[in-house]
Amino acid sequence: NAGVTQTPKFQVLKTGQSMTLQCAQDMNHEYMSWYRQDPGMGLRLIHYSVGAGITDQGEVPNGYNVSRSTTEDFPLRLLSAAPSQTSVYFCASSQTRKPNTGELFFGEGSRLTVL
Amino acid sequence: GDSVTQMEGPVTLSEEAFLTINCTYTATGYPSLFWYVQYPGEGLQLLLKATKADDKGSNKGFEATYRKETTSFHLEKGSVQVSDSAVYFCALGGNQFYFGTGTSLTVIP
């Protein structure tokens, strides 16, 4: 079972560069989301989607862009990387459109360093 | 808004010791409550959940009871093992998922 797959696992960028973190799930989940994990701050929601063609902002959306053209994929784009975006990024999905009662399934994470 | 506050770590225990990790929440409405666990180098995975007041979630010897009167969802285990060493996150499911800051647990033989 693949579950939620994130690529790449590690990435080093220079300030100002752009890149895309990929996320794919094979569970036909409607809900997908991106979190960043920083020491002492837990997980913070960046963007989320409740279905193909529908996205919305979370707690910390600035500097990030998302789209959801298919049920399976939910890429996260960094438009112009900054050192403050150095973090571990997690993609998560849920079967239900409102995830509050359902289980979130997480990918293994993508560690991004911005120099 | 909705939020979760959990006990700061790190916590170090000897094998077979009793574990408590405190978690309190602030929420409007009737959220669900969760404990997630993150092993080194991995993503988070659900440990247990409770969807209404007085529910008890349990899994792998861990338990937590949804207490509306004290707005708490403390995680407990009677006898920890080395394999329980991980980071534990309390989470609230309301309009969105809200996670606590995580508590690192190390169990020494």
Side-chain angles (χ1 to χ4, degrees), chain A residues 31 35 37 40-43 45 48 90 99-104 106-108, chain B residues 32 34 36 38 41-44 46 49 51 89 93-94 96-97 99-101:
Chain A
Y31 179 89
Y35 289 87
Q37 182 180 25
M41 304 194 73
L43 276 78
L45 182 65
Y48 66 97
F90 287 99
N100 49 314
T101 58
E103 177 180 354
L104 275 178
F106 282 83
E108 293 185 346
Chain B
S32 297
F34 305 82
Y36 278 79
Q38 183 181 29
E42 298 183 9
L44 281 71
L46 179 66
K49 70 176 183 181
T51 57
F89 291 89
Q96 283 299 333
F97 255 91
F99 287 87
T101 53

Side-chain angles (χ1 to χ4, degrees), chain A residues 17-95:
Chain A
Q17 288 185 317
S18 63
M19 76 156 298
T20 300
L21 298 176
Q22 302 289 346
C23 176
Q25 52 90 9
D26 61 358
M27 297 173 283
N28 202 32
H29 284 175
E30 292 198 77
Y31 179 89
M32 296 186 74
S33 56
W34 277 101
Y35 289 87
R36 59 177 289 172
Q37 182 180 25
D38 301 293
M41 304 194 73
L43 276 78
R44 293 181 291 169
L45 182 65
I46 304 171
H47 284 285
Y48 66 97
S49 167
V50 297
I54 307 169
T55 63
D56 207 346
Q57 297 181 350
E59 184 185 358
V60 288
N62 291 343
Y64 306 96
N65 210 353
V66 292
S67 59
R68 185 95 179 268
S69 55
T70 67
T71 300
E72 295 78 20
D73 301 299
F74 190 47
L76 178 72
R77 297 183 186 82
L78 279 71
L79 308 172
S80 176
S84 60
Q85 294 178 302
T86 295
S87 187
V88 180
Y89 292 85
F90 287 99
C91 180
S93 71
S94 174
Q95 186 174 15

Side-chain angles (χ1 to χ4, degrees), chain B residues 12-16 80-83 85 106-109:
Chain B
T12 302
L13 294 174
S14 298
E15 210 166 20
E16 299 184 3
V80 293
Q81 305 300 313
V82 172
S83 57
S85 297
T106 300
V107 180
I108 55 177

Side-chain angles (χ1 to χ4, degrees), chain B residues 50-86:
Chain B
T51 57
K52 61 182 187 298
D54 299 325
D55 267 2
K56 177 186 284 189
S58 62
N59 187 24
K60 299 180 181 180
F62 291 90
E63 292 183 341
T65 301
Y66 189 161
R67 303 272 188 213
K68 200 169 190 305
E69 64 276 12
T70 55
T71 62
S72 65
F73 193 56
H74 304 321
L75 182 69
E76 296 182 337
K77 187 175 185 183
S79 176
V80 293
Q81 305 300 313
V82 172
S83 57
D84 294 326
S85 297

